[in-house]
Amino acid sequence: MSDKFDVIVIGAGPGGYVAAIRAAQLGLKTACVEKWTGDSGKVVLGGTCLNVGCIPSKALLESSHKYEEAQHDFDLHGIQVKDVAMDVTKMLDRKNNIVKNLTGGIASLFKANGITSIHGNGKLLANKQVEVTDNNGKVTVYDAENVIIATGSRPAEIPPAPIGEHIVDSSGALDFETVPKRLGIIGAGVIGLELGSVWSRLGSEVVVLEAQDNFLASVDQQLAKDAMKQFTKQGLDIRLKARVTGTEVKRGVVKVTYSDSKGDHEVKVDKLIVAVGRAPVTDNLLASDSGVNLDERGFIYVNDLCQTNMPGVWAIGDVVRGPMLAHKASEEGIVVAERIAGQKAKVNYDCIPWVIYTHPEIAWVGKTEEQLKAEGEEYKVGTFPFAANGRAMAANATMGMVKIVAHKETDRILGVHIMGPQASEMIAQAVIAMEFGSSSEDLAMTVFAHPTLSEAVHEAALAVDGHAIHVAQRKKR
Ligand code: FAD
Ligand code: AMP
């Protein structure tokens, strides 16, 4: 059987499902192929993000944060609570229900937009044909004017720590049925720190082994150093320059061996999470005559407009270069759909926010001081601590600061770095400012409501030129 579509999207994660919806909105006859199968045997939409990524991790971060607050922070407000206990099964059920609601919501959106949802493994053949193999092995070939590959990524694996019952990847770490007494994590990246925070708050003794010397190397290093202190205070035992070299599982205990500058060491844990990054998914995706090239790291090769080397074949999200972030995948999906419809959309890769949902949260957009120094760019900096912000005090959340980095001559904002309460929400105002090419003075002249955490952004902008109000700054002449 052959059926022709204007657009066939392969993969229904935040890249693929958003691309499909936008293409359908633009009047294109659209299908989306997804291979993920739920317990009922039916297709599951939403990809990594909704099923085993952004959403379930944030659900657990929220639950574990509330548990910690009830134990340690309520007392400060005069609230007396006794016998605080965590029902892990209930916490996981809540998370699973959120996932179910959201993925079901995508299925409804597909219906409402007239998108054909096809269940099975999609493989690109020559001439923009897509071969779909369903769970029973039945093969159907569809023709398309345009194909958008959005097959995403999967957890990277390392030979010294093969995944099994006691050594798990990020997906396994979202489903521990009981709180592990001792938990090891390989990799102090975003995922390792978020999952480490969840289980540490619930009572695990957490050891994080990180091969690099610098903690959070891509984060502004002033913030990263402060974060290291805060996370250590919270109980995370983060060991840098610690490269894991082997593991052995015996009677339910994982012996992890690692080496650092002082030699070889071992640590014993009940569960070990491997969080060493993610790899693009391209297996069983490209027929040998599809003509689509991969790059040297195994990602699908694309240009700035997400075009592969084959006309009419596009690729977006985690399976291509750039940050592995859901909103980057979605934005690329929208832009590609609009390009297919003849519009001139473009992703502004300079204005993509990053967030680490620890406590406090860390969020940033644009360049760090370290990057600007390396590029030889002249810049000026304004900072403002949440310790001097009234709303942060009222919320008992005074850790961290806002830092604004602006061009020395033009004053154009080059980067904004926030560690503190609701940094994930506050960073949006920096993204908007940068998207509009704002100077730090533009932000400084903007009125911010009082009392809000956002006033720290305002004060940091004032501080760029040395006149923050609620903190003593040396007078500039
Ligand atoms: P994916 O979401 O991976 O979706 C790809 C889809 O394609 C999958 O459903 C897969 O089954 C399907 N597929 C693959 N091959 C085929 C094929 N041949 N045929 C048919 N279907 C196929 N990002 C954020 O921005 N914020 C966060 O807070 C965040 N938290 C995260 C937490 C965790 C624990 C993890 C693991 C990731 C997190 N991410 C976060 C990253 C985010 O999940 C990814 O960047 C995002 O999901 C990428 O979207 P995508 O559409 O490119 O790919
Ligand atoms: P991210 O890419 O942000 O998910 O972070 C993954 C982290 O895992 C990186 O900081 C890597 O340095 C770290 N990593 C990778 N391999 C190892 C290893 N064998 N031992 C310890 N850390 C590792």
Side-chain angles (χ1 to χ4, degrees):
M1 180 197 126
S2 177
D3 204 351
K4 184 144 189 171
F5 289 92
D6 295 323
V7 179
I8 295 183
V9 185
I10 307 179
Y17 85 72
V18 170
I21 291 173
R22 186 70 189 118
Q25 284 175 346
L26 290 161
L28 299 164
K29 185 180 174 195
T30 304
C32 185
V33 186
E34 172 56 60
K35 66 179 178 184
W36 201 307
T37 306
D39 293 340
S40 65
K42 286 197 182 146
V43 67
V44 175
L45 307 176
T48 304
C49 169
L50 267 59
N51 290 286
V52 289
C54 324
I55 299 298
S57 58
K58 265 79 259 178
L60 297 188
L61 279 158
E62 197 65 41
S63 298
S64 57
H65 183 59
K66 288 204 184 310
Y67 177 62
E68 191 167 81
E69 275 191 323
Q71 280 182 309
H72 305 296
D73 296 342
F74 280 9
D75 183 53
L76 197 78
H77 296 270
I79 305 169
Q80 305 286 322
V81 283
K82 281 200 186 104
D83 305 327
V84 179
M86 174 51 93
D87 179 341
V88 174
T89 309
K90 203 164 175 182
M91 174 183 80
L92 295 183
D93 283 350
R94 188 189 87 97
K95 179 230 2 158
N96 293 338
N97 281 333
I98 295 167
V99 169
K100 208 168 142 202
N101 278 341
L102 280 171
T103 54
I106 308 297
S108 309
L109 287 172
F110 271 17
K111 258 193 208 138
N113 282 284
I115 296 162
T116 304
S117 182
I118 303 172
H119 191 188
N121 184 83
K123 185 174 189 174
L124 182 69
L125 311 178
N127 304 318
K128 294 178 287 184
Q129 285 196 310
V130 176
E131 174 193 279
V132 179
T133 308
D134 74 11
N135 283 350
N136 302 317
K138 187 175 162 236
V139 175
T140 311
V141 175
Y142 301 88
D143 287 298
E145 284 295 329
N146 291 275
V147 176
I148 305 176
I149 299 171
T151 49
S153 64
R154 66 161 64 91
E157 291 177 29
I158 48 170
I163 302 302
E165 191 189 339
H166 298 280
I167 305 179
V168 301
D169 59 21
S170 58
S171 306
L174 295 166
D175 275 325
F176 289 148
E177 284 169 5
T178 53
V179 180
K181 185 167 180 316
R182 297 165 301 178
L183 175 65
I185 298 177
I186 313 180
V190 178
I191 293 174
L193 291 172
E194 290 186 4
L195 294 173
S197 299
V198 167
W199 295 106
S200 157
R201 291 168 191 170
L202 299 182
S204 293
E205 293 159 21
V206 177
V207 177
V208 187
L209 302 169
E210 168 55 56
Q212 289 193 34
D213 320 7
N214 272 359
F215 181 58
L216 291 175
S218 54
V219 173
D220 174 276
Q221 284 301 292
Q222 189 180 1
L223 265 57
K225 286 200 176 79
D226 195 7
M228 177 80 176
K229 275 191 216 144
Q230 301 295 346
F231 299 157
T232 305
K233 241 194 250 167
Q234 289 167 17
L236 298 185
D237 175 357
I238 302 167
R239 303 183 191 174
L240 300 177
K241 301 184 205 167
R243 178 165 294 277
V244 172
T245 50
T247 53
E248 194 185 312
V249 185
K250 250 193 206 160
R251 286 189 285 275
V253 175
V254 189
K255 188 171 88 181
V256 188
T257 45
Y258 67 93
S259 59
D260 63 16
S261 53
K262 292 188 189 118
D264 293 335
H265 311 268
E266 67 174 53
V267 58
K268 285 186 178 153
V269 293
D270 302 301
K271 293 275 186 197
L272 177 66
I273 305 173
V274 181
V276 296
R278 297 183 61 81
V281 173
T282 55
D283 42 312
N284 203 12
L285 173 69
L286 303 170
S288 53
D289 58 355
S290 72
V292 169
N293 288 340
L294 301 185
D295 69 15
E296 49 295 345
R297 297 190 305 140
F299 290 81
I300 291 181
Y301 172 77
V302 287
N303 63 13
D304 278 358
L305 299 176
C306 296
Q307 291 166 312
T308 70
N309 59 304
M310 295 303 287
V313 180
W314 311 71
I316 59 172
D318 280 12
V319 78
V320 304
R321 82 296 169 258
M324 285 181 158
L325 294 168
H327 42 281
K328 175 262 192 186
S330 298
E331 192 57 24
E332 287 182 335
I334 289 174
V335 162
V336 166
E338 292 181 350
R339 286 259 156 192
I340 290 171
Q343 299 182 5
K344 297 280 176 244
K346 210 165 184 293
V347 178
N348 181 358
Y349 288 101
D350 293 334
C351 278
I352 296 180
W354 295 73
V355 180
I356 310 179
Y357 293 83
T358 41
H359 184 71
E361 294 180 344
I362 305 171
W364 70 100
V365 58
K367 300 211 167 157
T368 60
E369 281 196 71
E370 291 75 23
Q371 278 173 310
L372 291 168
K373 263 184 210 139
E375 289 168 12
E377 194 71 80
E378 297 242 57
Y379 63 89
K380 49 190 179 174
V381 175
T383 60
F384 191 81
F386 283 105
N389 173 278
R391 185 71 189 274
M393 279 184 220
N396 188 32
T398 51
M399 285 179 272
M401 60 153 76
V402 177
K403 176 188 270 195
I404 296 181
V405 189
H407 192 277
K408 190 159 186 196
E409 301 304 326
T410 65
D411 191 37
R412 191 184 174 116
I413 299 173
L414 302 174
V416 177
H417 308 270
I418 306 177
M419 180 166 112
Q422 297 186 41
S424 57
E425 297 295 338
M426 266 191 288
I427 199 66
Q429 39 196 292
V431 178
I432 294 167
M434 285 182 66
E435 186 70 38
F436 289 178
S438 162
S439 64
S440 78
E441 190 184 26
D442 290 329
L443 267 189
M445 292 192 309
T446 304
V447 181
F448 286 70
H450 175 76
T452 57
L453 298 167
S454 301
E455 284 175 293
V457 174
H458 187 217
E459 291 268 20
L462 290 166
V464 172
D465 275 327
H467 51 91
I469 301 296
H470 292 94
V471 73
Q473 280 196 288
R474 208 164 351 121
K475 208 171 170 192
K476 285 200 175 168
R477 291 176 192 279

